[in-house]
């Protein structure tokens, strides 16, 4: 049964944050929190400083099956009469992913602009869903340009190549073109209409419970927290709210973002977004706060389902891999979460006598001493509920709910390059989330070298066989991620066409 979001009063559908100022937003509300230190707060347009002379039409070779974007297939006749294939990109082995030349080559040769356009436009034909959409660029000199908008994919691509941003964010669809906001007689006429419902999970929010890494560092052990979070949130969004078009995207360093593109999700106002974020929020309080999980009994079906998903992860990924209570101060934190003082005293005494006792053993000690009768007044039901709350505290998703609450929040685009790691922000297949390796995601320099390594022998084979031209992304490890994105977008477009047909059938013209 779908979860019900309470109706709202139309008078409350707008709040003070709906009208945006011209200045860049505070990072707590208006930008990707993982990279908030990278913003400079400048709105000045900076001239392109690249020295690369490249004809755009010679570089844009994405294939297409419709009339809007012509096919880039190459025949034998075309090859014999055309110019030679593009020369290698000549990126030095020591080149860094932050080099402007590297980023320009990435945008020219690899970024899937066409599929990004279709994903945000919800149609093959340009519409206001794309034309009134805000984009924000972070330039190479850290200048930050807001309220950029483009009527077509090609114009977005050309401007990104010209500006060569280190990354860019995606904002909402507005009532009018964001570039024209200052021409409106009333500032209140410029307001957000729609945006994907988004969620943000960042491993820094797990620093108090992960023992392998901290801050911006990650490893396979602590990435399991992101895996758990994706599993729990994804099934809740699908089963409890009925959303279908959900795409998870690796943030490029230490987290993941969820983009929900269902029309019902895009059109939600801020109050409904807050309701869904509140529904999914269980862990509350900072690192210095006390008990972080306070849920009612009997458990809500969502929490009962989440415990079933998480219990195996708790045993293997938390108790074994993280060993969270190995240190005495951490073990004391565990005791604070248990409901019986006499049981706590017995456990403390046992653990002090065995300083090297593992977290697996300490967790087993709780039931063992409880059954041994160390406390005459132990409430078994209270102990069970306390243990459930502990499992949730150490495994349940720690969401940055502020990202989800407002339409105006900007979030980093899929497939941009993370400025701190050079890794591409690729989609994560939620059906195979266990196999996703964040440390195996290619960096931008690796991808460009892979294009160069494709070699003349492959190009000659294409000519001899008269086969369809191989796109640059297909020559690299980016291919499976772009293919997944293309499939996701195709499903979304078919669903949008179905919605339009239903609307036409439901609202016939009357005479």
């Amino acid at each position: 049964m779908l979860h019900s979001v309470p109706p709202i009063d139309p008078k409350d559908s707008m709040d003070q944050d709906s009208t945006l100022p011209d200045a860049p937003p505070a990072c707590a509300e208006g930008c990707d929190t993982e990279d908030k230190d990278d913003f400079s707060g400048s709105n000045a347009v900076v001239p392109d400083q690249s020295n690369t002379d490249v004809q755009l039409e010679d570089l844009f070779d994405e294939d297409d099956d419709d009339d809007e974007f012509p096919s880039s297939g190459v025949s034998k006749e075309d090859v014999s009469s055309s110019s030679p294939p593009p020369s290698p990109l000549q990126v030095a082995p020591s080149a860094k992913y932050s080099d402007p030349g590297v980023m320009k080559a990435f945008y020219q040769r690899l970024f899937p602009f066409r599929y990004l356009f279709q994903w945000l436009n919800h149609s093959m034909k340009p519409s206001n869903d794309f034309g009134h959409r805000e984009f924000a660029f972070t330039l190479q000199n850290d200048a930050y340009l807001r309220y950029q908008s483009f009527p077509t994919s090609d114009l977005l691509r050309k401007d990104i190549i010209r500006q060569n941003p280190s990354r860019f964010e995606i904002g909402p669809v507005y009532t009018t073109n964001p570039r024209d906001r200052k021409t409106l007689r009333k500032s209140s006429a410029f307001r957000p209409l729609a945006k994907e419902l988004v969620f943000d999970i960042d491993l820094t929010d797990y620093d108090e419970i992960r023992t392998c890494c901290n801050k911006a560092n990650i490893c396979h052990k602590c990435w399991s927290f992101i895996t758990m979070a994706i599993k729990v949130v994804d099934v809740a969004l699908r089963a409890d709210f009925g959303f279908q078009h959900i795409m998870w995207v690796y943030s490029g360093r230490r987290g993941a973002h969820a983009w929900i593109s269902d029309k019902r999700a895009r059109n939600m106002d801020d109050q409904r977004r807050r309701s869904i974020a509140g529904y999914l929020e269980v862990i509350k309080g900072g690192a210095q706060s006390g008990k972080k999980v306070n849920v009612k009994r009997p458990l809500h079906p969502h929490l009962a389902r989440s415990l079933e998903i998480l219990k195996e992860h708790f045993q293997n990924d938390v108790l074994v891999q993280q060993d969270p209570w190995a240190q005495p101060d951490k073990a004391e934190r565990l005791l604070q979460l248990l409901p019986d003082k006499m049981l706590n005293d017995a456990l403390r005494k046992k653990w002090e006598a065995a300083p090297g006792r593992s977290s697996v053993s300490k967790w087993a000690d709780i039931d063992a001493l409880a059954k041994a009768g160390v406390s005459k007044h132990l409430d078994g039901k209270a102990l069970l509920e306390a243990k459930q709350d502990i499992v949730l505290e150490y495994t349940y998703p720690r969401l940055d709910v502020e990202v989800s609450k407002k339409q105006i929040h900007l979030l980093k685009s899929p497939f941009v390059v993370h400025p701190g790691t050079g890794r591409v922000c690729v989609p994560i297949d939620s059906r195979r989330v266990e196999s996703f390796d964040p440390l195996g995601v290619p960096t931008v320099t690796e991808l460009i070298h892979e294009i160069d390594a494709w070699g003349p022998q492959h190009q000659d084979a294409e000519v001899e066989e008269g086969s369809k031209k191989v796109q640059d992304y297909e020559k690299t490890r980016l291919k499976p991620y772009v293919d997944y994105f293309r499939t996701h977008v195709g499903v979304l477009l078919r669903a949008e066409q179905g919605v339009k047909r239903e609307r036409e059938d439901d609202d016939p013209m009357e005479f």
Side-chain angles (χ1 to χ4, degrees):
M1 183 175 186
L2 301 186
H3 182 73
S4 176
V5 178
I8 66 169
D9 185 340
K11 295 179 181 179
D12 298 330
S13 62
M14 287 287 293
D15 59 25
Q16 294 179 351
D17 298 299
S18 296
T19 302
L20 295 179
D22 292 334
C27 284
E29 299 292 340
C31 64
D32 184 357
T33 54
E34 179 174 323
D35 305 311
K36 60 188 175 184
D37 294 336
D38 296 325
F39 289 96
S40 69
S42 172
N43 271 331
V45 177
V46 179
D48 180 30
Q49 299 176 355
S50 171
N51 295 323
T52 306
D53 283 325
V54 182
Q55 296 299 319
L56 297 179
E57 59 270 20
D58 294 336
L59 293 168
F60 190 43
D61 56 0
E62 290 187 298
D63 62 331
D64 201 344
D65 296 324
D66 57 75
D67 296 333
E68 183 180 353
F69 298 94
S71 172
S72 59
V74 179
S75 66
K76 293 180 181 179
E77 292 78 13
D78 294 334
V79 172
S80 62
S81 60
S82 64
S83 60
S87 59
L89 297 175
Q90 303 297 332
V91 175
S94 60
K96 297 185 180 298
Y97 48 78
S98 57
D99 289 349
V102 171
M103 290 304 303
K104 186 176 285 288
F106 173 74
Y107 290 130
Q108 290 171 332
R109 307 294 293 272
L110 291 168
F111 193 93
F113 286 102
R114 171 179 172 253
Y115 303 131
L116 184 80
F117 164 79
Q118 294 174 356
W119 177 56
L120 297 175
N121 187 61
H122 318 113
S123 172
M124 302 292 288
K125 183 179 179 180
S127 71
N128 287 345
D129 280 5
F130 190 81
H132 289 182
R133 171 86 66 163
E134 178 188 1
F135 293 88
F137 296 171
T138 301
L139 302 185
Q140 299 290 339
N141 65 354
D142 287 337
Y144 188 51
L145 308 183
R146 287 205 57 185
Y147 304 117
Q148 307 299 295
S149 61
F150 308 90
T152 67
S153 169
D154 188 51
L155 291 175
L156 170 66
R157 180 180 182 274
K158 288 179 178 179
D159 202 50
I160 284 182
I161 292 175
R162 180 180 68 86
Q163 301 271 17
N164 199 19
S166 58
R167 70 161 183 267
F168 63 91
E169 282 76 37
I170 297 171
V173 178
Y174 283 95
T175 49
T176 189
N177 189 320
R179 293 182 185 269
D180 298 335
R181 69 195 183 282
K182 293 183 178 180
T183 66
L184 300 175
R185 298 181 65 179
K186 293 183 178 180
S187 61
S188 60
F190 181 67
R191 56 186 177 84
L193 285 179
K195 202 200 78 169
E196 293 75 12
L197 178 63
V198 295
F199 292 92
D200 182 14
I201 307 166
D202 194 314
L203 274 174
T204 53
D205 293 323
Y206 291 80
D207 280 356
E208 63 178 330
I209 59 174
R210 60 173 177 158
T211 60
C212 52
C213 306
N214 65 359
K215 298 181 179 179
N217 302 308
I218 70 164
C219 67
H220 292 119
K221 288 182 179 181
C222 55
W223 183 257
S224 63
F225 287 114
I226 302 295
T227 300
M228 299 177 216
I230 291 176
K231 286 183 175 182
V232 168
V233 175
D234 191 80
V235 71
L237 292 172
R238 296 180 191 277
D240 300 346
F241 295 95
F243 296 133
Q244 298 177 13
H245 306 289
I246 304 168
M247 184 172 70
W248 290 90
V249 180
Y250 174 45
S251 70
R253 176 181 277 171
R254 60 179 184 266
H257 303 151
W259 295 77
I260 299 93
S261 297
D262 298 61
K263 189 175 184 65
R264 183 164 53 90
R266 301 197 310 266
N267 290 338
M268 282 183 174
D269 56 29
D270 289 350
Q271 182 169 331
R272 284 187 169 87
R273 292 169 191 262
R274 286 193 294 268
S275 295
I276 294 179
Y279 176 85
L280 293 171
E281 186 181 25
V282 172
I283 310 294
K284 298 180 180 180
Q288 304 303 319
S289 61
K291 195 170 185 291
K292 293 182 173 60
V293 175
N294 295 280
V295 294
K296 296 179 180 180
R297 269 31 185 223
L299 286 175
H300 187 282
H302 162 62
L303 292 177
R305 180 185 59 219
S306 298
L307 276 174
E308 283 299 309
I309 295 172
L310 296 169
K311 62 183 182 181
E312 184 177 346
H313 286 285
F314 177 75
Q315 190 67 35
N316 298 326
D317 297 323
V318 175
L319 295 186
V320 176
Q321 297 296 331
Q322 295 295 329
D323 198 6
W325 307 309
Q327 302 301 319
D329 60 324
K330 299 296 185 180
E332 191 62 33
R333 166 66 181 166
L334 171 61
L335 294 177
Q336 293 173 4
L337 300 175
L338 297 176
D340 189 274
K341 184 178 183 302
M342 294 184 68
L343 175 62
N344 290 358
D345 292 341
L347 288 168
R348 187 179 294 107
K349 183 177 180 180
K350 182 178 182 68
W351 297 344
E352 288 176 351
R357 199 161 181 81
S358 69
S359 295
V360 173
S361 298
K362 290 177 178 177
W363 184 250
D365 290 341
I366 297 173
D367 283 345
L369 292 186
K371 292 178 181 178
V374 296
S375 176
K376 296 179 180 180
H377 306 289
L378 179 64
D379 184 338
K381 182 173 179 291
L383 179 61
L384 174 62
E385 292 176 356
K387 290 184 67 179
Q388 290 176 336
D389 290 351
I390 292 169
V391 172
L392 290 172
E393 180 168 329
Y394 282 80
T395 57
Y396 190 85
R398 300 186 171 213
L399 302 172
D400 184 354
V401 294
E402 297 305 316
V403 173
S404 308
K405 290 180 178 180
K406 295 183 178 181
Q407 285 181 324
I408 62 173
H409 191 96
L410 296 160
L411 193 62
K412 187 165 48 185
S413 170
F415 289 100
V416 298
V417 175
H418 190 287
T421 65
R423 300 194 188 279
V424 180
C425 299
V426 296
I428 301 171
D429 187 346
S430 60
R431 300 166 300 179
R432 302 176 179 85
V433 64
E434 295 271 7
S435 63
F436 181 80
D437 179 9
L439 303 181
V441 172
T443 64
V444 60
T445 49
E446 290 171 347
L447 292 171
I448 291 175
H449 286 307
E450 287 171 14
I451 294 176
D452 290 345
W454 182 255
Q457 67 274 16
H458 293 93
Q459 297 172 1
D460 294 341
E462 290 177 34
V463 174
E464 291 175 4
E465 298 173 7
S467 58
K468 192 174 184 179
K469 183 178 180 182
V470 178
Q471 307 303 309
D472 282 334
Y473 80 86
E474 295 178 294
K475 304 172 185 177
T476 72
R477 285 180 292 151
L478 198 62
K479 182 182 186 302
Y481 303 110
V482 175
D483 289 346
Y484 175 84
F485 186 41
R486 179 181 60 202
T487 300
H488 175 81
V489 171
V491 174
L492 175 63
L493 293 185
R494 286 192 292 273
E496 288 289 321
Q497 291 172 357
V499 169
K500 291 178 181 178
R501 283 195 295 268
E502 289 176 8
R503 189 184 305 120
E504 292 171 358
D505 294 340
D506 291 342
D507 298 316
M509 294 181 64
E510 296 182 3
F511 296 94

